[in-house]
Amino acid sequence: MSHAHRNARIPGFHRKSPQERLRIVAEFAGLDSATTDRLADTGGLDLDLADRLVENVVGSMNIPLGIATNMKVDGEDLLIPMATEESSVVAAVCNAARQCYDAGGFTTSMSGTLMIAQIQAIDVADPHAARLRVLDRRDDIKALCDGCDPVLLKFGGGFRDVEVRVIDSLGGPMLVTHLIVDTRDAMGANAVNTMAETLAPHIAQWTGGRVYLRILSNLADRRLARAHAVWPLDQIGGAEVRDGIISAYHFAAADPYRAATHNKGIMNGISAVVLATGNDTRAVEAGAHAYAARQGHYGSLTRFETTKDGALSGSIELPMAVGLIGGATKVHPTAQASLKILGVTSAERLARIIAAVGLAQNFSALKALATTGIQKGHMALHAQNIAMMAGAVGEEIERVARILVERGTVRQDVAQAVLQELRGA
Ligand code: MEV
């Protein structure tokens, strides 16, 4: 069927109800009623609520929520809710956590809960002198910032510092003011963006320049979460496994092609908890990757080394701008349930736990890669997906998947053949 007649110019689409929008989309795309019913079923998220979270809502996209067991963080046993569509991610955290549980699990810390907002000024005649003029206004800047958010102040947050940088840009020197703000249990984007916008006209006046961008930086390097764990040799399978993991880390540290994949694995764990708690996955991901490149080359977010007793020591450090209040965290029922499962009462605690999950994830990935390879573990779950795609239902899924793995050919055509054999028998 040709779609040449379809028209995506739909005036007033945003003013319609989700149901009306879905009807329009169904007609546009030729969706059958089974498909639209699926879309309209938003599961644990109210359609009305979804409609208030983002624009032009027609349904919701459901992602599995798995629970990682065995995690001990700073002496406390935890169950970790993880929202992910990728197989093996939850299992990886369970396995890594089990192998360091007896040795004490994860210890964590945090550099603070400070966010940075940037104000860009251009066409400043005397940028270095202007820098000092802005710095001289510290008290005014503090008053203006703190005036923006009395609630944040009440909870002990607010303006902490101002920094001004003269940076070289393609268009000449640029004056960049950083507002450094303690945002406590909020992720803080709203708070610091409001402050930056409030400050901007004053910056223009003090510097004599023109102000354009006023926005937070996702390189939240004053909000670093850190986690550390020790894996005893008898838990991980000996010195050769340890050395394989350390060598894998050396590979990532030396090569951006490997570091991208290494860090992607870390984010498999991190983004799953960030998403489960209704936080902004892209903010955390942007911060992580920018931090990984802070030394001028892109490297590893984790480090692995040998303790004096010969055990494997792993650590991680990365920006972790997550909050407990505001945004989807506060209104999404699954996010609220996830926070309840975690038992966290501060953004800092959440950030520290998430860092530990990232380290756990990375340990398991490197261990698998340095030993049996990841396909063995992946294939078991992947085979189930393939079995389902081939039409297996109920108990057939497990049976078909097992046969595929045994035969070493996890392919849909083989799955179809196996399914036919089973059904024929
Ligand atoms: C797959 O999603 C993640 C891994 O590629 C991570 C890694 O290579 O370290 C297994």
Side-chain angles (χ1 to χ4, degrees):
M1 190 177 86
S2 157
H3 290 145
H5 62 284
R6 304 201 300 189
N7 187 355
R9 279 281 306 128
I10 311 175
F13 190 70
H14 65 285
R15 279 191 299 271
K16 299 193 186 303
S17 72
Q19 291 85 357
E20 285 172 316
R21 287 186 208 120
L22 184 53
R23 212 166 40 240
I24 295 168
V25 173
E27 195 184 304
F28 183 95
L31 304 181
D32 59 27
S33 60
T35 306
T36 54
D37 288 352
R38 274 286 189 190
L39 277 173
D41 177 2
T42 52
L45 179 68
D46 247 30
L47 187 57
D48 283 346
L49 182 56
D51 196 30
R52 269 181 281 129
L53 280 175
V54 304
E55 305 76 37
N56 290 357
V57 164
V58 298
S60 74
M61 167 80 191
N62 294 312
I63 299 288
L65 187 75
I67 300 290
T69 54
N70 307 330
M71 285 289 288
K72 190 199 282 290
V73 180
D74 301 315
E76 188 190 2
D77 277 42
L78 297 170
L79 294 178
I80 312 285
M82 301 178 71
T84 179
E85 88 301 341
E86 183 169 337
S87 64
S88 306
V89 166
V90 179
V93 173
C94 299
N95 289 333
R98 179 172 45 73
Q99 290 166 59
C100 67
Y101 185 91
D102 290 337
F106 298 83
T107 50
T108 68
S109 63
M110 187 116 194
S111 71
T113 47
L114 300 178
M115 290 298 279
I116 299 166
Q118 298 190 291
I119 303 166
Q120 173 204 25
I122 65 162
D123 295 343
V124 178
D126 53 351
H128 292 281
R131 174 173 172 270
L132 301 191
R133 290 200 294 279
V134 175
L135 288 173
D136 281 344
R137 296 288 183 147
R138 191 179 192 280
D139 291 345
D140 299 319
I141 295 171
K142 177 174 166 45
L144 284 161
C145 287
D146 285 344
C148 289
D149 205 328
V151 179
L152 184 59
L153 239 57
K154 204 181 92 192
F155 287 102
F159 173 90
R160 289 293 180 272
D161 208 355
V162 56
E163 277 180 347
V164 188
R165 300 157 59 220
V166 181
I167 62 172
D168 270 331
S169 82
L170 294 173
M174 204 175 269
L175 197 71
V176 181
T177 301
H178 283 192
L179 305 176
I180 295 154
V181 181
D182 190 341
T183 63
R184 310 302 285 193
D185 286 329
M187 183 274 192
N190 271 324
V192 301
N193 289 342
T194 305
M195 291 177 189
E197 292 194 2
T198 305
L199 243 300
H202 300 275
I203 298 286
Q205 200 193 346
W206 298 330
T207 63
R210 278 192 292 151
V211 163
Y212 282 110
L213 272 57
R214 300 140 291 164
I215 187 77
L216 91 171
S217 170
N218 286 122
L219 179 50
D221 62 0
R222 290 164 178 260
R223 207 172 187 175
L224 299 174
R226 311 184 182 104
H228 171 249
V230 171
W231 283 273
L233 288 191
D234 61 340
Q235 293 290 315
I236 63 174
E240 211 180 315
V241 176
R242 174 199 67 201
D243 294 343
I245 292 173
I246 292 174
S247 166
Y249 153 57
H250 291 169
F251 185 5
D255 176 27
Y257 285 91
R258 174 54 207 159
T261 323
H262 177 100
N263 290 340
K264 187 277 185 186
I266 293 170
M267 301 315 287
N268 278 344
I270 287 180
S271 293
V273 187
V274 173
L275 184 60
T277 56
N279 276 288
D280 184 340
T281 52
R282 288 82 54 215
V284 173
E285 279 156 13
H289 295 295
Y291 192 69
R294 73 196 177 285
Q295 279 157 344
H297 68 271
Y298 185 80
S300 170
L301 289 166
T302 54
R303 290 166 200 280
F304 287 93
E305 54 205 348
T306 307
T307 69
K308 66 177 181 347
D309 306 325
L312 176 71
S313 164
S315 52
I316 188 171
E317 181 181 66
L318 79 170
M320 192 55 65
V322 291
L324 298 185
I325 53 181
T329 301
K330 202 74 202 174
V331 295
H332 198 302
T334 309
Q336 282 296 305
S338 293
L339 290 175
K340 193 99 206 275
I341 293 168
L342 283 166
V344 291
T345 52
S346 75
E348 174 176 335
R349 179 74 182 146
L350 176 60
R352 290 163 57 165
I353 292 169
I354 293 174
V357 171
L359 178 60
Q361 187 71 43
N362 187 227
F363 165 88
S364 281
L366 298 190
K367 186 181 174 205
L369 288 166
T371 56
T372 52
I374 57 153
Q375 284 312 87
K376 194 163 158 254
H378 261 175
M379 274 307 161
L381 274 164
H382 180 57
Q384 293 192 20
N385 291 340
I386 295 292
M388 284 191 276
M389 280 160 64
V393 289
E395 291 181 349
E396 287 172 347
I397 299 169
E398 194 63 54
R399 291 179 67 189
V400 172
R402 212 173 26 233
I403 294 170
L404 292 180
V405 171
E406 275 163 20
R407 292 191 188 168
T409 47
V410 184
R411 293 203 322 252
Q412 204 176 326
D413 56 331
V414 182
Q416 261 149 3
V418 169
L419 188 60
Q420 256 162 27
E421 283 165 36
L422 281 180
R423 287 181 178 171

